[in-house]
Amino acid sequence: MTTALITGANRGLGLETAKQLAARGWHVILACRELSRAREAAATIEGATARRLDLGDPASIAALAREAIEIDVLINNAAIAMRGFDAEVARQTIAVNLLGTLAVTDALAPRVRDGGAIVMVSSGMGELSVLGNPARERVARAATIDEVRALADELVAAVANGTHERGGWPSSAYSVSKALLNASTRVLAQTFAARKIRVNAVCPGWVRTDLGGRSAPRDIPTGARSIVAAVLEPRATGGFFRDGAPIAW
Ligand code: NDP
């Protein structure tokens, strides 16, 4: 049976992605910040299992990585979008959306079978076009995860001292976290090529979830179908997709 581990699967797009994959006969592991919520969600999906995983808690990541689970697809879906914009918002957003996702990927990659896949749930708000120069060129060129991390540190420091706009950074920590997640996707696709693990990013479109808000044009099943299409993508690696079609970084 094919197994997917989905982070942030107790509500929104993560939960619906789990339901759509389970409907295809997949075993889904719902990895959620609160174990009780993971269990409640798993009870609504046949054969689903629940695990605790908080992207901001390295101990919870390490504990999950120690379990003898075999994963075909790791779906990094969990993320936050905070109100406002200051250094603390930038720090927390980067900590969860970028560094937390990278920590989960690093810890669980040994559990992903060779020939499997890692899917980063990203956003069109992280397209390179949201960045000004020199940030845009530097993010586009980042060739290692250390470079991506250094850019993230730089953003937080620049927001704190009020120089981020000069560096080409937009006043949206969420956008930057996703642009750097996309940069990580390009790097990790190369890192895992030797194990034939495909690494792709996907945008679900603008969806009516707690994060997307009520004005979003898409319903949750439509957004999740975009994620599932990336999960089922048979060949590509190092790509960015929406609704099963490649989109520009
Ligand atoms: P929701 O706010 O509905 O759900 C977010 C999920 O992430 C929740 O399960 C939440 O858990 C979990 N989460 C947040 N922080 C952590 C953490 N530290 N550790 C573990 N889990 C955490 O968001 P969506 O379903 O809309 O978003 C899912 C993904 O889709 C995100 O990556 C988002 O950026 C992306 N996306 C969404 C768009 C939209 O319009 N909705 C557009 C583009 C991209 P808890 O319930 O415990 O808070």
Side-chain angles (χ1 to χ4, degrees), residues 2-9 14 17-18 21 26-32 49-55 60-61 63-65 67-78 104-105 107-109 111-112 117-121 227 231:
T2 314
T3 298
L5 186 144
I6 308 155
T7 67
T17 298
L21 290 173
W26 287 40
H27 171 223
V28 288
I29 303 173
L30 314 187
C32 309
T49 49
R51 290 290 184 281
R52 177 164 182 272
L53 180 71
D54 182 339
L55 270 56
S60 80
I61 298 174
L64 186 55
E67 283 196 36
I69 42 175
E70 184 165 280
I71 307 164
D72 294 283
V73 186
L74 167 63
I75 306 174
N76 282 308
N77 164 79
V104 169
T105 304
L108 294 185
R111 302 283 171 212
V112 178
I118 298 171
V119 173
M120 305 292 196
V121 181
I227 297 173
V231 168

Side-chain angles (χ1 to χ4, degrees), residues 142-146 148 182-192 199 238:
T144 65
I145 293 299
D146 281 348
V148 174
N182 287 352
S184 306
T185 302
R186 297 190 288 270
V187 173
L188 293 173
Q190 296 191 16
T191 308
F192 291 115
V199 187

Side-chain angles (χ1 to χ4, degrees), residues 8 10-11 13 33 54-55 77 79 122 174 178 205-207 209:
N10 54 296
R11 60 188 168 101
L13 288 162
R33 178 152 54 174
D54 182 339
L55 270 56
N77 164 79
S122 185
Y174 179 81
K178 296 296 190 181
W206 185 19
V207 183
T209 61

Side-chain angles (χ1 to χ4, degrees), residues 54-103:
D54 182 339
L55 270 56
D57 174 10
S60 80
I61 298 174
L64 186 55
R66 277 195 300 272
E67 283 196 36
I69 42 175
E70 184 165 280
I71 307 164
D72 294 283
V73 186
L74 167 63
I75 306 174
N76 282 308
N77 164 79
I80 55 170
M82 299 172 72
R83 283 169 202 267
F85 183 68
D86 58 24
E88 186 52 23
V89 167
R91 190 193 63 74
Q92 286 188 43
T93 305
I94 291 289
V96 175
N97 296 5
L98 179 69
L99 304 180
T101 300
L102 289 176

